[in-house]
Amino acid sequence: AAEAGPLNELGQARMDLLQAELAFAQNRGSDAPLLLLQAARKLETLDLRLSRNTYLEAWGAALFAGRLASASLLDVSAAVATAPKPADPTLPCDLLLDGFALVFTGGRAAATPVLRRAVAAFASTEVSVEEVLRWGWLANRAAIFIWDYDGCLEVGTRAVQLARESGALEALAVVDNALGQAAAFGGDFATAALLIAEVDAVKEATGTRIAPHAALALAGIRGQEAETTELIDGIITQATAGGQGTAVQYARWANSVLMNGLGRYEEALAAAVEASEHTPELHIASWALSELIEAATRSENAELARGALTRLGEHTEACDADWALGIHARSRALLSEGEAAEPLYREAIKRLGRTRLRPELARAHLLYGEWLRREGRRRDAREQLRTAHDMLATIGMEAFAERA
């Protein structure tokens, strides 16, 4: 009806935006990023606030589409870098947009302090309910980018609570996915399973097409081969057809975790290489690089592992979080020999022990124990491997517990 009537320039731009938003809401696929980017550019001189919000929508749409996007994350980030800036004070969503754009245009070192401010803003009570419902899932991703697990939980928990209270079902499906993934990373499989069930219920009620990122994370970390392989294969097929490239990247990463747990390192390596290269700037690539290093060192691909360690260092160098530094220390230990390895394993255990990331800590004990065994220190190895097994079994990480 609006299209049939006379529209001024702003009206036409808002019509273009609505069509782009509809495309994103219907399938979250590859078409929406370009449509949203074009709408954001048209709005720059007509409504700066609406333009900025649309750029952030375009960035979120490109994040779903990944390497299949009609306009890539780099395309959107480059456009944001040259677009007009708002007058101070900037809103939390402005910090999100500028920080995400800097990841691709200025590097992680430049992006990290901006994203840190964005996460702090969304974790505070000062941000509006509307902003949390609209952008909370992206603030959760920002926390992951800077390896801030506590911030990830805090923002995700608040976003889920507000979405439930307000009945915002589409927002609930997205933030449930994000928080469920975080719960799986913390080894809280019961909470993760409840959030995954809620995602499924919302998808059935609304028809929204959101790939099950949380289910992938839980399945890969839990390590039940038949169930996980079926889930991964189905998602790769569906997400590729639906233009959700990041879901494919998640599936490859989850497969690398599964195969490392099962001790099938060649298969883990192949999956991790794919996951690390799909969109190499993303947080999923960081996780995949850690899996790649473990798989490569176990399958005698030291050169590949060293290259991955260099890339992982670039993902963690601007960060002082124990999550990032613990993973990096553990990865360095895998590529170290003799006496140089032991202090790195101990550093990884110390740093990860200060976080709530119990699966990563248990895996650090496992790798340390395996190294001690290869060094012939069987008594010390038994201590570490027993600790690893007890933790992994308690969490429910079946494949890694069996490996221990």
Side-chain angles (χ1 to χ4, degrees):
E3 282 183 309
L7 291 171
N8 60 19
E9 189 177 4
L10 177 58
Q12 184 58 57
R14 289 178 64 87
M15 177 61 64
D16 293 343
L17 170 58
L18 182 57
Q19 289 176 331
E21 289 175 332
L22 285 168
F24 182 49
Q26 285 172 346
N27 58 31
R28 297 187 184 272
S30 57
D31 295 337
L34 179 58
L35 295 173
L36 286 162
L37 178 58
Q38 291 171 338
R41 284 174 169 151
K42 287 182 181 178
L43 286 163
E44 282 182 4
T45 58
L46 302 170
D47 187 327
L48 182 55
R49 169 46 50 203
L50 188 55
S51 174
R52 294 277 294 179
N53 289 349
T54 305
Y55 271 123
L56 190 51
E57 284 190 285
W59 206 96
L63 180 58
F64 267 96
R67 66 172 183 165
L68 302 178
S70 53
S72 69
L73 287 164
L74 177 57
D75 293 334
V76 178
S77 299
V80 171
T82 59
K85 303 296 182 195
D88 287 333
T90 55
L91 296 173
C93 59
D94 291 316
L95 293 171
L96 267 185
L97 178 61
D98 292 336
F100 281 139
L102 278 171
V103 171
F104 288 81
T105 61
R108 285 177 176 266
T112 294
V114 183
L115 290 175
R116 189 176 288 127
R117 289 173 58 202
V119 172
F122 273 91
S124 74
T125 56
E126 296 176 7
V127 67
S128 69
V129 171
E130 181 184 355
E131 279 194 280
V132 174
L133 290 176
R134 189 172 187 182
W135 311 120
W137 72 277
L138 275 173
N140 178 279
R141 299 300 85 186
I144 294 292
F145 259 97
I146 60 174
W147 302 84
D148 179 3
Y149 183 70
D150 289 342
C152 172
L153 285 178
E154 195 170 353
V155 173
T157 300
R158 184 169 184 230
V160 166
Q161 179 184 354
L162 291 175
R164 285 173 178 164
E165 290 173 353
S166 61
L169 292 185
E170 186 178 355
L172 181 59
V174 180
V175 294
D176 269 346
N177 234 346
L179 187 59
Q181 181 192 107
F185 266 69
D188 186 354
F189 290 177
T191 296
L194 287 172
L195 290 162
I196 290 165
E198 190 167 56
V199 171
D200 291 340
V202 171
K203 287 170 64 175
E204 184 177 352
T206 63
T208 188
R209 299 175 183 176
I210 298 175
H213 297 160
L216 279 169
L218 178 60
I221 296 170
R222 177 175 277 165
Q224 296 173 338
E225 182 180 4
E227 172 188 316
T228 306
T229 300
E230 182 180 359
L231 176 65
I232 288 170
D233 291 345
I235 287 173
I236 289 174
T237 299
Q238 295 167 18
T240 300
Q244 293 191 32
T246 298
V248 176
Q249 190 176 11
Y250 265 105
R252 300 294 188 199
W253 161 76
N255 195 39
S256 71
V257 178
L258 172 67
M259 292 303 162
N260 268 334
L262 294 170
R264 285 155 52 180
Y265 299 115
E266 292 285 355
E267 293 172 76
L269 180 59
V273 167
E274 286 194 75
S276 69
E277 292 178 351
H278 276 202
T279 307
E281 298 86 354
L282 282 186
H283 52 283
I284 314 160
S286 304
W287 305 339
L289 288 170
S290 172
E291 302 301 330
L292 193 163
I293 292 163
E294 182 171 336
T297 54
R298 289 293 183 267
S299 55
E300 299 182 356
N301 283 282
E303 185 176 350
L304 192 58
R306 281 192 289 270
L309 181 62
T310 298
R311 291 169 59 196
L312 181 61
E314 293 168 354
H315 285 214
T316 60
E317 64 182 354
C319 185
D320 59 0
D322 280 320
W323 180 10
L325 298 178
I327 295 296
H328 191 236
R330 192 179 74 188
S331 299
R332 288 167 59 206
L334 285 166
L335 278 162
S336 300
E337 297 180 1
E339 295 181 357
E342 187 160 20
L344 291 170
Y345 282 119
R346 290 186 175 276
E347 179 188 349
I349 289 169
K350 181 179 179 180
R351 289 189 178 280
L352 292 170
R354 293 198 292 248
T355 74
R356 289 188 269 183
L357 296 153
R358 294 188 301 147
E360 297 291 8
L361 174 60
R363 290 180 65 179
H365 282 290
L366 171 59
L367 289 170
Y368 184 26
E370 289 175 336
W371 176 82
L372 288 165
R373 186 171 181 271
R374 291 194 301 274
E375 292 291 302
R377 294 165 55 183
R378 299 182 68 85
R379 180 177 299 175
D380 294 336
R382 280 196 295 272
E383 180 182 344
Q384 293 297 323
L385 292 172
R386 187 176 293 114
T387 298
H389 177 267
D390 290 348
M391 291 181 67
L392 293 162
T394 300
I395 294 168
M397 295 172 65
E398 296 180 12
F400 282 101
E402 180 63 25
R403 178 174 143 187

